[in-house]
Amino acid sequence: MNAEHRLDSHFEAKLFSASLEDWQRNVWQPAIARTPERKDEFLTQSMRWQIKPLYTPEDLDAIGFDYRADLGYPGEYPYTRESRPTGYRSNLWAMTQVTGFGTAEDSAKRWEYMLNQGLDALIIEYDLPTTNGYDSDHPLARGEVSRAGMALDSLRDMEDALNFPLDKLNNIMSVCNAPQPVNLAFLIAALEKKGKPLDSIRMMMPNAILIEYTCVGRYIFPPKHGLRIATDVIEYVIRNHPTWAPLSVVGAQLYAARANPVQEIAFSFAIAKTYIDALLERGFTIDEVAPYVRHITGIDTDFFEAIAKLRAYRKVWARLMKEHYGTQKESSLRLQLMSSPGTMDMTLQQPLNNIARLGIQMLACAAAGGAYTMNTPLHDEAHALPSEEAIAIGAAIHNIVAHESGVADTIDPLAGSYYVEYMTKRMADEVWEEIEKIDAMGGGLKAIEDGYFQRKLAEQQCMRNRAIESGERKLIGVNYLVKPQEKREIEIFKIDDATEQRQLERLRTIKAERNNDAVKAHLEKIRAACRDGSNLVPPILDAVKEYATLGEICGVMREEFGEHDPNALTPDM
Amino acid sequence: MSAPIRILLAKMGLDTHTIGVTVLAKGLRDAGFEVIFSGFKQTPEVVVASALQEDVDVVGISSLSGAHMRYIPHVLELMKEHDIDDKVVLVGGVIPQEDIAALEALGVDRVFTMGAEMQTMVNYIREAVAKKRGEGVVA
Amino acid sequence: MTPQELVANVIAQKPAAIAKAISLIERGEHTAERSDTYDALFNLLFEAPFCSQVIGITGPPGAGKSTLVDRIIEHARADNKKVAVLAVDPSSPLTGGSILGDRVRMQRHALDSGVFIRSLANRGHLGGLSETTYQCIRVLEAAQFDFILVESIGIGQNEIEITRMVDTTVLVTIPGMGDYVQAMKAGVMEFGDILAINKCDLPGVGQVEKLLNEIAHDRAGPDDWLPPVVKITANNGEGIEGLMKNIHAHARFAPEHQTRRSYERHLLDAMLQRAILKRFYQPLVATNAYQQLAAAIVERKRPLQDLWSLLLQ
C-alpha cells in the first residue's frame, strides 16, 4: 500500500501549475498581493526595457528563437556563443591599461616601467593641441600643452618618448584621431631611427575619426575629408604593414556619450560600413578589408544587458558581413572586439564602490566572451593621476574573474537562459532594424552630416540625466544611500608652466636647426596629394623625416580641406 | 512678475564634449531660463562681446580641458573694461580646489564642479540674479 | 543714465546702449508700470526715420535659416554695410524658458563692430512675434543699421505677423519639404516676397521649385510683385549673390517701407484702443454705479437703456 507515496491528484494539481497563466493566477498574484513588488516598473538600465518577473520557454517561442539560427556553436556562424571554438579555455583575454600623460620624457619613463611590469601594450594618448592639429606654440594651445596626453609637435618628440630599450616593446596603441596620418608617420620614422624593425611591432590605431563627429569632437576637417584621410591610413597600413591594426571603431565612445546598446552597435556598424565601402572603392575585396575592422565596446553595470550586448555584437556583425557583403570567410565574419568596462557609472562619490562595479562589469565580459582584450579603467577616475593602488586593484580584478570565479571555464555559460536568450535576440533584431534605418537615410556618413547620431545622443543624455536626478535610476552614493558631505578632492594632474615652456623651446630649436627649404618643398607635395587624391601618408612621412611639424602639416590640410566648425554640428538643443 | 533670466553658455578651451552643455542647456530651459549658446572653443573676446549684445543676466563658462586659469581671468578683465561686470559669472567643469578660491577672488561668483546637481545650480542662479536686480526671488 | 542719454547712445550706435534698450523693451511687458526710460524709448519708435532695410527670414526648423543669415551678414559686410540680427525662437509654453541657438551659427561675426546680433525668445506671445519685436526693430533702426535681419521659425500665425513688420520676407524651404509647402500654401500665397530653396545639394530641388513657382504665379496679379524662386546653398555660400540682388529688387519695387508704415498704423490703432480702454473703460467698469446697474439689468430690474444713459454722463 503506497498510498502515501502516490500524490493525490487533487494535491498534485495544487502543487504544480499546469501553465504559466495558472501560475500567474494562482500563485503569483496572491503572493504579490501579500508582498508587493518593490518597484512599479522594473527596467533595464540603458534600453529601459520592461523586465518581467519571469522568463520561460514561451518567451523564446514568442520571438521565434531557434538554436541553430540564433546561436550556433562556438566559432561558427552566427558566432553568438563565441567567436572562437575554444573560448577562454585556451587563452584568457589580454589585459591592458591606459598609460599616462606628460612630456615625452615622462612618457618614456612610464612606458619603460610598465613594460618591465609585464604589461602587454602601451596605449599612447596625446594632448588637445596635438589631436586638434596644432603645435604647442599655437595661440589656442596655451595652457593645454602636455595636459591630456603627450605633446607631439615634431619627430624629435617621438624619438625622445621612445628613448628606452625597445626590445620588450611588442604592441603600441596610438590614439590620435584627426592627425592620424601624421602620427603614424612620426611613429614609423621614430622606430626606424631607433633601429626597431617595423615588423617586430604591432601598431594599433583606432583611427576612428567618424565617431568623433558624433561625440567628443576631436576632429578637424569636414566629415568626408576626415573619411578620406582615415582611409588613406588604412590603405597604407594594409599594403605596407599588414600585421598592424589601422582601424578600431570605438563604440565605447558612443557608449560614453550615453548611446544605449542598440544604438552603440548600430551606429558603430553603420560607421564601420562607411570605412569598408570607402576601401572597397579603392579596389580592395571585402575579405581583404573585414579582418582589419575591430571594435571597442563600453560595458555597464547592468549585468544581463552587458551580456546580451556582447552576444548581439557578434551575431549582428556576422550577419552583416554575410548578408550585406556576401562573404563566407571566417576571418571576415568573426567580430574582433575589445571591451572596456565602463567609465560611465564610475562615481566620484565613494570611489571604492567602483571596484565592485568593475568586478560586475568584467564578470559580464568574461561570461559573455568574445572580447580578446579588456581595458580596465581605474577606480579613481580618469581625471586623477592613476594611483599605483588603482593599477594593482585593476589587475587583481582581471585575475580574480579569470581564476576564482569559474566564469571563464566554460564557453558562453549563460546560453539557454530564457532571459539572456530573449534579451540577446531582441537586441540583435533591434540593431538590425536600426542599421537598415540608417542605410535608408543614406548611410553612416550621411547620418553624420545630417546630425542624426548627434540628435539621438543628445536625447539619450538628457534622458539619463533626468533619470538620475529624479532618482528613478539609482546610482549608489550619488542619489541613493548617499553619505553626507563627502568632500572628495580630485587630484588633477598638474602641468606646470615650465613644461609648456620646455616644449616651446624644443619646438623653436627644431625649426631653427632643420632644413627649412626641404620642409617647404615637402609641405607642397602634401598639398598636391590633398588635391589629386593620392595617398597622403607617403608625402607626410617624407615631410616628417625633415622635421616638419604636426601643426604645419595639418595647417596645409586645413587650407585644402577647410575646417569643420563644431558650432555647425551643435545638437539642436 | 519678473523678466525671465537670460544666461549665456560658452565652452572655452579645446575640449568639445557636447554632453554636459546639452544637458545643462535643456535643464536651464526647463527651469524657465532663456539660454543663449555662445559656442565651442570660444575666446574671451567673443564671450564678452556676446554677453554684451545679449545683455544676459548670467555668463556661464564651461571649462573641461584644464586651461581655465588662462581664459577666465581674461574674461573678467574684459567684462570690467566693457562695463558689464555686474553680471553673474559662473564657471563649471574640472576645476581644482585652489583654483576655485583664486577664481572667486578674481570675480567669479560661483564655481560648480563635476557632479553638481541641476536644481542646485538653478536655485543659485535665481537667488543671485534676484539679488543683482534688487528683487525678490523669481518663482 | 537718464532716458535721454540712453536714447542718445542708441542713436550714437553704442552696442551696450542698444543691448540695454532692447532689454528694456522686452521687459516692458513684465513691469507693472512703464518707466520714464521705457516711454522715452517708445517715443523714439515714432520719431526715428525709416532708414534700414528690414528683411524677414522665415521658414521651418531645419531649413538652414541661421546659416543663411550668417552668409547674408558676410555679404553685406563685404560691401561695408552694417547689419543687425534679431533671432527669434519660441519659448516653452510649459516652463517659459527657451534655448536660443541661432547665434552660435553666426558667431564668426561676434567681434565685428559693424554687426549686432540679438537672440529673442517670443515669451509666450500667442501670436508668436509681437509688438515687442517691432519695437526692437525700431531701436536697431534708430541706431542706423543698413540691414536688419529678423529670423524666426515660420509656423502658422508667426509668418503672418512677421511679414507685416518687415520690408521684405524671404521664405526658406529645403528639398523634400513638398508637404510643408503644400500645407503652407495659404501662407506662401499671402506673403513670401522671395522664395528661397536652401540645401540645393539635396535631391528633389526640381519638385519644390516647380511647386513654389506655381503658387507664386497663382498669387501674383499683372501689376504685383512676382515672388522669384531662388536656389541657394547657404553652407558654401552659393546663390547668396543672386538672393541679395532679388532682395534689393524687391526694395525698389515696393513703395518705400509701405508695409511697415501700414503696420505702424495698425500699431497706432491698437495703442489708441488700449489707451481708451485704460482711460475710460476700466475706470467705469470699476465703479459701483456700473456694477450695480449691470446686476440690475440682468435681474430685469432696470432697462438696458439706462446703461447708455450712464455712458453719456
Side-chain angles (χ1 to χ4, degrees):
Chain A
M1 305 288 344
N2 295 326
E4 63 264 39
H5 295 286
R6 237 184 316 144
L7 287 168
D8 180 66
S9 65
H10 177 68
F11 181 57
E12 189 173 291
K14 261 189 93 176
L15 195 59
F16 302 113
S17 293
S19 70
L20 181 64
E21 287 73 34
D22 281 353
W23 176 79
Q24 277 171 327
R25 205 182 331 115
N26 301 326
V27 181
W28 187 71
Q29 295 276 20
I32 286 292
R34 283 192 304 273
T35 46
E37 291 189 323
R38 54 189 164 81
K39 285 196 279 201
D40 287 332
E41 258 191 332
F42 289 75
L43 300 175
T44 65
Q45 291 281 35
S46 294
M47 294 308 307
R48 317 307 281 158
W49 286 344
Q50 293 268 2
I51 305 176
K52 302 195 329 186
L54 184 73
Y55 287 83
T56 65
E58 291 170 13
D59 291 293
L60 297 189
D61 287 338
I63 54 171
F65 175 82
D66 172 74
Y67 184 89
R68 277 284 323 269
D70 290 309
L71 292 191
Y73 289 101
E76 276 186 358
Y77 187 86
Y79 300 94
T80 315
R81 298 206 65 179
E82 242 297 0
S83 295
R84 292 183 174 166
T86 58
Y88 292 133
R89 281 172 66 106
S90 15
N91 291 317
L92 291 167
W93 53 90
M95 308 182 190
T96 68
Q97 281 169 351
V98 180
T99 56
F101 322 178
T103 63
E105 290 93 359
D106 292 337
S107 298
K109 261 191 238 121
R110 191 167 295 112
W111 296 346
E112 186 173 9
Y113 170 76
M114 295 184 105
L115 285 177
N116 286 333
Q117 297 300 308
L119 243 120
D120 287 313
L122 299 179
I123 304 181
I124 314 175
E125 303 236 4
Y126 302 92
D127 66 10
L128 279 172
T130 302
T131 56
N132 277 279
Y134 298 126
D135 285 335
S136 304
D137 58 1
H138 191 278
L140 278 173
R142 264 183 334 174
E144 314 249 24
V145 175
S146 299
R147 191 178 290 274
M150 195 178 112
L152 187 59
D153 294 327
S154 74
L155 182 55
R156 177 67 44 80
D157 292 309
M158 195 56 89
E159 290 176 86
D160 287 346
L162 293 174
N163 205 13
F164 58 90
L166 296 178
D167 45 313
K168 288 208 196 88
L169 182 62
N170 296 319
N171 295 296
I172 297 180
M173 175 145 129
S174 182
V175 186
C176 203
N177 295 302
Q180 197 70 71
V182 190
N183 177 241
L184 173 65
F186 282 143
L187 284 161
I188 291 176
L191 288 167
E192 280 179 351
K193 272 206 154 184
K194 296 280 171 186
K196 174 86 176 168
L198 293 174
D199 53 13
S200 70
I201 237 190
R202 190 126 173 290
M203 191 86 68
M204 293 166 276
M205 288 160 292
N207 193 23
I209 192 64
L210 288 182
I211 298 241
E212 294 290 327
Y213 293 101
T214 70
C215 56
V216 189
R218 292 171 300 194
Y219 51 75
I220 303 174
F221 316 105
K224 67 172 194 240
H225 295 295
L227 175 63
R228 177 263 170 103
I229 293 168
T231 314
D232 279 357
V233 170
I234 303 171
E235 183 185 28
Y236 181 87
V237 166
I238 295 181
R239 295 203 198 283
N240 295 285
H241 306 285
T243 57
W244 291 5
L247 177 66
S248 287
V249 181
V250 190
Q253 256 175 249
L254 290 167
Y255 152 79
R258 319 289 196 247
N260 62 40
V262 166
Q263 289 166 337
E264 184 197 317
I265 303 175
F267 296 178
S268 295
F269 285 5
I271 285 173
K273 278 168 61 186
T274 308
Y275 288 117
I276 292 176
D277 292 339
L279 288 160
L280 294 182
E281 266 176 46
R282 295 191 185 198
F284 288 101
T285 67
I286 183 66
D287 292 323
E288 287 173 327
V289 163
Y292 283 99
V293 183
R294 325 171 95 230
H295 290 266
I296 304 182
T297 178
I299 301 293
D300 239 5
T301 319
D302 185 325
F303 186 68
F304 292 108
E305 237 181 15
I307 291 177
K309 178 181 180 182
L310 289 163
R311 296 166 100 240
Y313 241 116
R314 289 195 284 275
K315 184 183 181 197
V316 180
W317 181 256
R319 182 178 175 192
L320 190 66
M321 290 297 110
K322 174 161 173 282
E323 292 185 20
H324 199 89
Y325 291 105
T327 177
Q328 306 270 10
K329 274 196 93 181
E330 189 188 306
S331 53
S332 303
L333 296 168
R334 218 173 42 200
L335 176 73
Q336 300 186 76
L337 189 68
M338 168 168 148
S339 76
S340 194
T343 46
M344 271 315 98
D345 285 343
M346 297 294 178
T347 57
L348 280 168
Q349 298 85 330
Q350 300 168 41
L352 293 178
N353 290 351
N354 292 326
I355 298 175
R357 295 190 175 94
L358 267 174
I360 294 173
Q361 291 160 6
M362 292 186 37
L363 196 67
C365 288
Y372 302 141
T373 327
M374 263 194 250
N375 179 50
T376 10
L378 304 161
H379 71 264
D380 52 8
E381 244 309 282
H383 290 301
L385 191 62
S387 66
E388 290 192 353
E389 188 187 55
I391 293 175
I393 291 180
I397 301 179
H398 272 295
N399 288 308
I400 292 172
V401 167
H403 302 290
E404 290 185 30
S405 76
V407 148
D409 292 346
T410 181
I411 304 172
D412 193 26
L414 289 169
S417 148
Y418 306 118
Y419 184 42
V420 168
E421 295 303 354
Y422 169 81
M423 290 263 277
T424 306
K425 185 162 164 69
R426 181 173 173 185
M427 206 172 273
D429 288 345
E430 291 195 9
V431 169
W432 192 259
E433 258 177 57
E434 180 69 21
I435 292 178
E436 290 188 323
K437 183 167 161 207
I438 298 170
D439 272 344
M441 271 182 227
L445 186 64
K446 189 76 181 18
I448 288 175
E449 289 170 341
D450 286 345
Y452 171 71
F453 297 142
Q454 296 85 309
R455 273 196 301 279
K456 287 286 158 199
L457 292 174
E459 272 169 37
Q460 291 288 114
Q461 289 151 20
C462 287
M463 269 187 342
R464 181 180 189 269
N465 203 62
R466 224 174 285 138
I468 290 179
E469 289 211 0
S470 71
E472 186 222 324
R473 176 172 172 161
K474 291 190 171 51
L475 259 189
I476 311 307
V478 173
N479 62 8
Y480 189 63
L481 303 175
V482 176
K483 290 222 183 92
Q485 276 324 85
E486 188 187 337
K487 263 287 171 163
R488 190 154 182 266
E489 177 58 31
I490 307 168
E491 235 191 276
I492 300 194
F493 191 66
K494 290 247 155 209
I495 299 282
D496 54 36
D497 282 344
T499 309
E500 188 167 325
Q501 287 313 311
R502 270 202 308 274
Q503 187 68 21
L504 292 175
E505 189 47 49
R506 187 207 297 261
L507 189 54
R508 266 192 289 272
T509 316
I510 295 287
K511 286 189 171 170
E513 289 176 358
R514 67 186 183 181
N515 179 345
N516 279 297
D517 289 329
V519 168
K520 249 195 223 92
H522 284 297
L523 289 175
E524 286 315 302
K525 291 225 180 77
I526 294 172
R527 188 185 304 278
C530 289
R531 291 184 184 174
D532 65 30
S534 56
N535 197 304
L536 282 163
V537 181
I540 290 179
L541 192 48
D542 291 335
V544 147
K545 287 178 180 166
E546 293 290 339
Y547 293 89
T549 68
L550 180 137
E552 286 167 338
I553 298 172
C554 289
V556 169
M557 294 199 286
R558 272 188 158 95
E559 284 163 18
E560 294 304 309
F561 297 136
E563 268 189 356
H564 195 73
D565 177 13
N567 299 317
L569 273 187
T570 310
D572 281 334
M573 291 180 165
Chain B
M1 208 199 97
S2 191
I5 295 175
R6 284 168 67 91
I7 171 167
L8 185 81
L9 279 187
K11 275 190 76 70
M12 304 188 74
L14 285 174
D15 166 78
T16 41
H17 278 86
T18 54
I19 298 179
V21 94
T22 309
V23 171
L24 183 61
K26 294 198 180 184
L28 294 173
R29 177 208 43 207
D30 290 344
F33 302 162
E34 293 177 356
V35 183
I36 297 134
F37 185 55
S38 186
F40 298 97
K41 294 194 196 173
Q42 301 280 278
T43 62
E45 289 78 6
V46 172
V47 173
V48 173
S50 306
L52 190 150
Q53 290 177 14
E54 298 289 351
D55 197 21
V56 293
D57 299 293
V58 184
V59 178
I61 297 171
S62 162
S63 169
L64 277 173
S65 65
H68 46 274
M69 291 313 287
R70 298 277 178 152
Y71 293 120
I72 296 173
H74 193 29
V75 170
L76 296 167
E77 262 171 49
L78 285 171
M79 284 177 70
K80 234 177 240 129
E81 245 178 69
H82 285 88
D83 215 12
I84 53 169
D85 53 335
D86 60 338
K87 301 188 186 308
V88 176
V89 178
L90 301 177
V91 170
V94 177
I95 318 279
Q97 208 61 38
E98 65 263 31
D99 289 350
I100 294 179
L103 288 173
E104 289 180 356
L106 284 169
V108 170
D109 288 281
R110 176 87 178 253
V111 176
F112 289 103
T113 49
M114 302 286 279
E117 273 201 20
M118 187 70 66
Q119 199 52 48
T120 313
M121 292 190 276
V122 165
N123 291 341
Y124 176 81
I125 291 173
R126 288 202 179 120
E127 282 170 25
V129 171
K131 227 182 264 165
K132 296 252 176 179
R133 286 181 182 176
E135 300 164 346
V137 181
V138 181
Chain C
M1 186 178 297
T2 68
Q4 291 70 24
E5 278 170 354
L6 179 62
V7 167
N9 282 336
V10 168
I11 296 174
Q13 306 174 359
K14 301 221 162 107
I18 298 172
K20 277 271 171 300
I22 293 177
S23 297
L24 253 154
I25 290 189
E26 271 204 298
R27 216 171 294 145
E29 312 221 333
H30 287 272
T31 54
E33 309 97 36
R34 301 264 188 89
S35 63
D36 285 341
T37 318
Y38 182 88
D39 284 341
L41 267 175
F42 201 78
N43 291 339
L44 184 65
L45 307 186
F46 290 95
E47 286 161 11
F50 290 98
C51 65
S52 312
Q53 188 165 13
V54 183
I55 304 164
I57 312 275
T58 188
K65 298 184 292 296
S66 298
T67 315
L68 174 58
V69 169
D70 171 74
R71 286 287 176 192
I72 295 177
I73 298 174
E74 181 186 36
H75 196 271
R77 294 302 292 142
D79 243 348
N80 221 359
K81 302 282 188 215
K82 299 177 54 145
V83 187
V85 177
L86 286 175
V88 187
D89 276 311
S91 300
S92 156
L94 283 171
T95 68
S98 61
I99 295 181
L100 308 174
D102 300 314
R103 178 182 198 101
V104 79
R105 292 177 217 275
M106 316 165 193
Q107 278 292 56
R108 62 178 167 131
H109 304 287
L111 296 178
D112 185 343
S113 60
V115 179
F116 186 96
I117 300 169
R118 177 70 174 237
S119 313
L120 295 179
N122 70 19
R123 295 193 178 172
H125 303 294
L126 285 174
L129 301 176
S130 69
E131 288 173 24
T132 308
T133 309
Y134 186 71
Q135 291 159 22
C136 293
I137 293 174
R138 292 292 296 150
V139 164
L140 294 166
E141 192 156 22
Q144 307 127 61
F145 282 94
D146 298 297
F147 293 108
I148 300 171
L149 306 173
V150 184
E151 179 191 336
S152 70
I153 295 181
I155 299 174
Q157 197 59 30
N158 285 352
E159 293 99 358
I160 319 284
E161 271 211 68
I162 192 183
T163 62
R164 296 205 183 120
M165 56 176 88
V166 303
D167 297 315
T168 306
T169 301
V170 177
L171 176 66
V172 188
T173 55
I174 59 174
M177 274 193 169
D179 291 344
Y180 169 82
V181 173
Q182 286 284 28
M184 283 311 308
K185 197 163 173 179
V188 174
M189 288 272 278
E190 208 186 303
F191 62 87
D193 302 308
I194 316 247
L195 308 174
I197 308 176
N198 191 18
K199 303 194 187 178
C200 282
D201 48 331
L202 293 175
V205 178
Q207 280 171 320
V208 179
E209 190 177 5
K210 183 156 175 280
L211 193 56
L212 288 172
N213 269 316
E214 274 169 21
I215 300 175
H217 277 93
D218 275 345
R219 154 188 159 174
D223 295 321
D224 293 331
W225 167 262
L226 177 65
V229 177
V230 182
K231 296 202 279 258
I232 59 177
T233 306
N235 271 336
N236 59 22
E238 262 175 52
I240 304 297
E241 182 86 40
L243 177 69
M244 294 310 292
K245 282 212 180 84
N246 275 293
I247 290 175
H248 294 313
H250 181 257
R252 287 191 301 274
F253 180 92
E256 216 177 278
H257 307 296
Q258 189 52 48
T259 319
R260 292 208 279 139
R261 288 184 214 271
S262 301
Y263 181 80
E264 285 197 359
R265 285 295 301 272
H266 149 86
L267 200 62
L268 284 171
D269 286 347
M271 282 164 54
L272 187 63
Q273 270 190 37
R274 281 202 296 268
I276 292 175
L277 266 172
K278 195 166 173 198
R279 178 104 194 277
F280 296 109
Y281 170 76
Q282 272 152 12
L284 178 61
V285 142
T287 62
N288 274 330
Y290 170 80
Q291 291 295 336
Q292 283 166 4
L293 177 58
I297 292 175
V298 303
E299 288 288 323
R300 298 296 186 273
K301 297 209 180 111
R302 298 276 291 276
L304 184 60
Q305 191 57 43
D306 285 359
L307 179 58
W308 308 129
S309 309
L310 181 70
L311 197 59
L312 285 170
Q313 288 166 15

